[in-house]
Amino acid sequence: MARPPPPPPQCEEKLGSLVFQLAKNFILFVLMVIACNGLHFALKPYSQPRITSDIFVGLVMGNISFLRDLYNQFNIAFGFIIDVGMMCYMFALGIEMDPYALFKRPTRDAQVAYAGIISTFLLSHLLSHFLSSYIFYFPAQQKREITLSMSTLLSSTASPVLTHLITQLKIGKSDIGKVVIAAGMHSDFICSLLLSLGYIALPINSYCNSVDHFKHSATSITMFIGVLLQTLVTASLSPLVMKWINNENPEGKPMKGSHLVLALAFMVIMCASSTMCNYSPILSAFMTGICLPREGRVSRWVITKINYLLTTIFFPIFFLWMGYSADFKESEPRNYKTWAQLLFLIGVVIVGKVVGTVIYGVAMLGFNWPESVAIGMLLTIKGHFHLYLAIKLLGCGIGTTTTIAMVITTFLTVVPAPAIVKHIIKRARKRAPTHRMSLQLLDQSSELRILMCLHGLDNVPASINLMEISRGKADPDIGVHVTDMIELADEIAATIERGDGIHTTTLQDKTVIEMRDQVTSSFKAYVDGDGHGISLNRTVVVSTINNMAQDICILAEDLMIPLIILPFHRSQCKDGKLDGGNQGFRYVNKKLLKSAPCTVGILVDRGLGSLEKISRSQVSINVATIFIGGKDDREALAYASRVAQHPGVKLTVIRLLVDTSAETSSSAARKADCRVSLPEQEEEMVQDDECFAQVYEEHIVGGRISYTEKHLANAAETFATLRSFEGQYSLVIVGRDGGVNSILTKGMNDWQQCPEMGPIGDVLSGPDFATTMSVLVIRQHNNIKGELEGLDDEFSIM
């Protein structure tokens, strides 16, 4: 007797099985995230980008046998998730591209991109066409389509990966970093656009499924019409829609939900329109993205959200899918063709890019060949879209072995990038000066060169008096380069004529010309009257506020200037108080304090310019310098030693020391002044003592410089001491960061108005201080040995 069939599973059993399967996949997802983050953290000392660890973990976990059975059950779901995620990726990539670059005259960056694309495409197309029968398995009827697709793919650059890498390694501010980022984006845009347009003529589903010629032609025509209409409608409507939504949602206020839904709906409709004509939804998303405006709150919001979702959710799943598809069991490691394919792909990518950038960069753009090689190597970087296409080409005449070779090639283009960047930094360090210009390193008997910067005529009297006392005794001479800081406005830009150098700029603006003539006449009159030993030169820096500091740095390096004098951004009014000042020039001062290749002094003129002519036969000005400790105070003391040699200057050195005998001071010093517990800061204190001992023996013992020593307990006593200077000195010279970790200045920053002036300089230049005492704040360069600090310096190597 036959047994009855088993009862069908209950709904609870199906639901339980589904929950169990979801739990297993969620655990797998969490393990993937942990593994990727763990390996990325382990590779951080080697500066490897995240895609390196993601590819490695994906290949390993995707080829574990007992996990592959789990992948088989959800392969269809994987494919749907990957397609949607890649649509978002390409949409965000398209928004960041500038389509109008195609209609402009090619910039230097675009020319570098074109050279790399053309050389790589030609090399790949020619070699793959002839070698396809020997190392690749391309069916004859699909040979042309696959060859063109592969050549375009090998010619492109993954700009998101490259930009993130350059930013992470902090060379984006350098000239070579800017060229690489811009060329990478242009290369990515051109090749992605070629793939998008090429899909119309050679759609993958047509030559993969062997569609006949008639159907293929009809499909291509339909696609072309659909993509053209989508592009025209999106380019026409998107600026209007996005501008209206951005105006209705200004910065600082939360976006309205209805407007956000409307913007997203518009984007989705535009992306989906051409897919009804059998066009690729991923390429349709890219074409829509490049037609949307890059500026605006909505575009920034979309890019931010998409990048967050890609990083946190999509990429772990994507690399699992990649590892599952790249099945190592189907590869043939013992076959020479396997290794020939890998070497072919790597060789074409590297040789094509490097040859193109070297030939064009050296011959046409004047680049150094080592930098051209580095640019070419960095432009070989491939990324997520290349991995996606490599997997998708499976079953279209490309076997698993070729797919794995393309995945490994992508991996190997990223791995050496940090080493290339370090080589760039190494060459930049070799080309840097052997030592940064510093007054401490300058022999007292050698010529002092000063770059005296001016905002206008108001700075002239104080600058002349400072120039006079800076020359010290008659021998040695000093060279003064008086530089006008002219902000580049529209009316001035129309009259400017630039030469080969920054100091060969010619201005035709009448107001600027008259001002410069008066400045020149004032300095020339002083030098002609009593300027023995002063060599006067005139220069000008005409630039925007953002670029002015960099132009001044270039000028200082060209002239080998050890000291830059900048005017304070605030000027003294008739009542003795300081005005609100020019915040643009304050920004320039702050940037120069950080990035100048030499010592920087900021002069706060409160009476120095009103002094009569400084005599060289009798004392006519009292100057003081405050010494607490630190490199800036040592630099200020070195400058003060030169000033003290002037016959008309009476200099007093005031050394502020911690009074450890006071119980409160001793207790506070142990808590706040942590310098004594650190070896490097103890070494700093030793340098302070050595520097001061040298000045003491050379100048103070002989009576040329007066010396006062004050033992103080806290910042309040320091402030009271500074108050006592009123009426005693016409000029006080201080170091910017002198004693910044000392108990003597602890708490002063609580009421700072200009932190860039340092604790002592800010107090002395404050509105409640003496209105007849000028202040010169000295800042020594961060690294007087000339090595690039981090990789975030604005260095130039090309």
Side-chain angles (χ1 to χ4, degrees), residues 256 316 392 439 441 522 582 640 705 730 788:
K256 299 177 182 178
K392 280 295 182 179
L439 298 179
L441 301 178
S522 300
N582 187 315
I705 297 177
S730 300
L788 295 172

Side-chain angles (χ1 to χ4, degrees), residues 514-542:
E514 292 177 359
M515 182 272 294
R516 296 198 70 223
D517 288 342
Q518 294 180 47
V519 171
T520 303
S521 299
S522 300
F523 274 92
K524 195 173 185 304
Y526 189 88
V527 172
D528 292 342
D530 189 17
H532 176 69
I534 299 179
S535 174
L536 182 65
N537 297 279
R538 291 287 280 126
T539 56
V540 62
V541 171
V542 184

Side-chain angles (χ1 to χ4, degrees), residues 746-773:
K746 278 291 181 181
M748 283 188 173
N749 55 354
D750 294 342
W751 61 78
Q752 278 185 329
Q753 293 187 357
C754 297
E756 69 272 14
M757 301 292 284
I760 302 296
D762 181 71
V763 170
L764 293 177
S765 61
D768 299 329
F769 215 75
T771 59
T772 58
M773 186 176 68

Side-chain angles (χ1 to χ4, degrees), residues 674-686 741:
C674 59
R675 295 190 305 171
V676 296
S677 61
L678 301 176
E680 61 273 14
Q681 292 173 337
E682 290 180 355
E683 181 181 352
E684 189 84 2
M685 297 176 69
V686 171
N741 291 324

Side-chain angles (χ1 to χ4, degrees), residues 626 632-633 636 733-738 757-758 760-761 776-778:
I626 300 174
D632 291 347
D633 276 21
I733 304 170
V734 299
R736 177 184 181 269
D737 287 339
M757 301 292 284
I760 302 296
L776 180 63
V777 178
I778 298 291

Side-chain angles (χ1 to χ4, degrees), residues 241-478:
V241 175
M242 295 304 172
K243 183 178 180 180
W244 177 75
I245 295 176
N246 289 324
N247 291 336
E248 293 293 320
N249 297 271
E251 297 286 350
K253 294 184 179 180
M255 291 190 65
K256 299 177 182 178
S258 58
H259 292 165
L260 189 59
V261 171
L262 177 63
L264 294 177
F266 175 78
M267 296 177 186
V268 171
I269 292 174
M270 291 298 100
C271 291
S273 57
S274 62
T275 59
M276 295 183 293
C277 304
N278 295 322
Y279 190 64
S280 169
I282 295 172
L283 299 180
S284 176
F286 175 76
M287 295 296 292
T288 303
I290 63 177
C291 295
L292 292 174
R294 294 186 297 168
E295 297 77 14
R297 191 178 181 188
V298 176
S299 297
R300 293 197 303 270
W301 183 88
V302 168
I303 292 174
T304 301
K305 297 302 180 183
I306 287 178
N307 288 336
Y308 176 76
L309 292 175
L310 292 176
T311 304
T312 56
I313 298 177
F314 172 67
F315 284 155
I317 301 175
F318 173 80
F319 287 103
L320 268 176
W321 171 78
M322 177 209 69
Y324 167 79
S325 302
D327 188 1
F328 284 125
K329 291 182 179 179
E330 297 185 14
S331 64
E332 301 175 358
R334 297 183 180 181
N335 190 339
Y336 80 95
K337 292 185 178 180
T338 302
W339 300 103
Q341 290 178 19
L342 180 61
L343 294 176
F344 170 82
L345 294 173
I346 297 174
V348 165
V349 169
I350 294 178
V351 174
K353 288 290 185 181
V354 171
V355 168
T357 53
V358 168
I359 293 177
Y360 194 85
V362 175
M364 304 299 295
L365 300 177
F367 293 168
N368 300 319
W369 72 266
E371 281 67 51
S372 298
V373 172
I375 293 173
M377 290 293 294
L378 291 174
L379 291 179
T380 63
I381 288 179
K382 303 295 183 282
H384 305 84
F385 187 53
H386 302 83
L387 295 172
Y388 173 82
L389 291 182
I391 302 301
K392 280 295 182 179
L393 288 176
L394 275 172
C396 294
I398 294 182
T400 304
T401 301
T402 305
T403 297
I404 294 175
M406 296 178 70
V407 171
I408 296 177
T409 299
T410 302
F411 177 78
L412 294 179
T413 59
V414 179
V415 170
I420 297 170
V421 172
K422 290 181 179 180
H423 177 71
I424 294 173
I425 296 299
K426 185 178 180 181
R427 280 183 51 81
R429 285 173 175 165
K430 288 182 178 180
R431 297 180 60 181
T434 55
H435 65 275
R436 290 283 179 170
M437 302 304 293
S438 168
L439 298 179
Q440 279 186 266
L441 301 178
L442 194 63
D443 188 357
Q444 293 278 346
S445 61
S446 61
E447 179 191 28
L448 174 64
R449 294 180 301 279
I450 302 175
L451 185 63
M452 191 79 67
C453 299
L454 306 178
H455 296 162
L457 289 170
D458 294 339
N459 305 135
V460 172
S463 299
I464 289 177
N465 285 335
L466 187 66
M467 176 184 68
E468 170 62 36
I469 65 175
S470 298
R471 63 171 168 164
K473 56 186 180 181
D475 185 31
D477 298 342
I478 68 169

Side-chain angles (χ1 to χ4, degrees), residues 92-111:
L93 179 66
I95 295 179
E96 294 179 343
M97 298 300 176
D98 181 16
Y100 298 103
L102 295 173
F103 309 103
K104 299 177 182 177
R105 183 178 179 180
T107 61
R108 183 178 65 167
D109 316 318
Q111 294 173 29

